[in-house]
Amino acid sequence: DVYDDVRDEFLEDIVTPVLVGSGVNLALIGILIAFFLWPISRLARQLESRSASSLAPQDVRTPATEVRVLRDVINELIGDVEDVLKRERRFADDVAHELRTPLTTLKIELAADPPDLPAVKAEVDRLGRLVGQLLTLARLEQGQWRQRFEPVSLDAMCARAAERFNERFAAAGMTLAVSAAPATVRGDATLLDVLVQNLLQNILEHCPAGTAASVQVSPPGTAVRLIVSDNGKGLAEGLGDQLSGDFTRLDSKGEGLGLGLAICHRIAKVHDAALAFRAHGSGAPGLVVEVTFPVDNDSGRSRQGA
């Protein structure tokens, strides 16, 4: 009898509450797990249901920090993919747009009897320059140039570029002056040389005879500034801000820089530099292109010590 009484009390006072409590705890744990896993399940369903062309960010709200971190990482990845696709579309558009005009001209010239050989040669040379520009832009899109960065003497580079362009400016009835203070930036010498050449080439292509152009490099301070200016016809009002945009591209047959603008923007971007187009502050005609580089403190100190 005593054994039966102890057993009944044990079952009633210990075993039954433990079993009931365990069941309640398991139910609560199941509810909590479902509560925290529901946003992940919703996120998975959204990813499964979206099309390959959809790059809209995921909108899953949850108090769970881990799920929010996962959502933000996925959205960041989607944004990177969208940027890559935009660059690829822009590159394909640049290729089609820039090659169309010289190819059409070549077709017309070769169809003439007899063909205009000097015009054909000029268009072939133009195609060669375009292919070189396209190769540069394609390499820029790969984003691997920072591995080759080193201190570059910007003033010496501008002096060499101006020396190469002097004869071409003289043949076009223009003048080119250089005023470069000693300044060093960290970057890729090949890309920076392409940047300067594109800006000078733009003056040759879009400014009339009698234009005076200048290349200036400001002394290092809080920043190093490369300024390429001219007193040509300039830009329409408000177009300078438009050209300063990263994804702006204008027709090379009109008043814009065409493919060279896209390359200049990309070169400035990989060097953490700002590219701006503006009119002369004095109200004089012409265009001022300013590239602002961050100061390379280590190179600056070593050059001053030398």
Side-chain angles (χ1 to χ4, degrees), residues 242-299:
Q242 182 182 351
L243 284 174
S244 300
D246 188 22
F247 295 102
T248 302
R249 185 187 180 283
L250 298 181
D251 192 344
S252 60
K253 294 179 65 179
E255 55 185 336
L257 293 176
L259 181 61
L261 174 60
I263 293 176
C264 289
H265 273 298
R266 292 299 299 161
I267 293 175
K269 189 171 184 179
V270 299
H271 288 84
D272 296 326
L275 179 64
F277 296 77
R278 57 180 174 82
H280 288 278
S282 60
L287 175 66
V288 178
V289 183
E290 184 172 315
V291 187
T292 305
F293 295 90
V295 173
D296 182 11
N297 293 325
D298 292 337
S299 297

Side-chain angles (χ1 to χ4, degrees), residues 150-152 184-187 224 294-301:
E150 59 184 6
V152 178
T184 301
V185 297
R186 187 165 185 82
V224 175
V295 173
D296 182 11
N297 293 325
D298 292 337
S299 297
R301 284 194 296 265

Side-chain angles (χ1 to χ4, degrees), residues 16-74:
T16 301
V18 168
L19 292 177
V20 173
S22 299
V24 173
N25 289 335
L26 289 174
L28 291 176
I29 292 173
I31 293 173
L32 289 175
I33 292 175
F35 176 76
F36 285 106
L37 289 181
W38 175 77
I40 297 180
S41 301
R42 182 184 173 191
L43 181 62
R45 289 194 299 270
Q46 287 184 3
L47 292 174
E48 290 175 353
S49 61
R50 69 189 299 152
S51 63
S53 60
S54 176
L55 295 175
Q58 299 295 324
D59 184 18
V60 178
R61 300 180 181 180
T62 173
T65 303
E66 292 78 5
V67 179
R68 291 201 304 270
V69 171
L70 177 61
R71 177 202 61 196
D72 294 341
V73 170
I74 292 177

Side-chain angles (χ1 to χ4, degrees), residues 112-232:
D113 188 19
D116 188 348
L117 295 181
V120 171
K121 182 180 182 300
E123 291 302 321
V124 170
D125 292 340
R126 182 182 177 187
L127 276 174
R129 291 194 300 270
L130 285 176
V131 171
Q133 296 274 51
L134 290 171
L135 289 174
T136 300
L137 185 58
R139 292 168 182 168
L140 280 169
E141 299 297 347
Q142 296 175 4
Q144 299 177 352
W145 290 90
R146 290 183 183 273
Q147 301 173 2
R148 301 169 50 183
F149 277 12
E150 59 184 6
V152 178
S153 176
L154 191 60
D155 54 305
M157 174 177 293
C158 290
R160 290 193 298 269
E163 185 177 353
R164 292 195 301 268
F165 273 80
N166 273 330
E167 291 186 3
R168 298 171 62 182
F169 269 78
M174 306 180 189
T175 60
L176 177 61
V178 179
S179 174
T184 301
V185 297
R186 187 165 185 82
D188 184 270
T190 302
L191 290 182
L192 293 176
D193 188 52
V194 170
L195 172 64
V196 175
Q197 289 189 55
N198 280 353
L199 296 178
L200 294 177
Q201 183 65 33
N202 174 68
I203 297 175
L204 284 173
E205 292 180 356
H206 301 287
C207 291
T211 298
S214 66
V215 179
Q216 303 175 26
V217 177
S218 66
T222 57
V224 175
R225 289 180 174 84
L226 166 65
I227 302 173
V228 179
S229 61
D230 62 75
N231 61 351

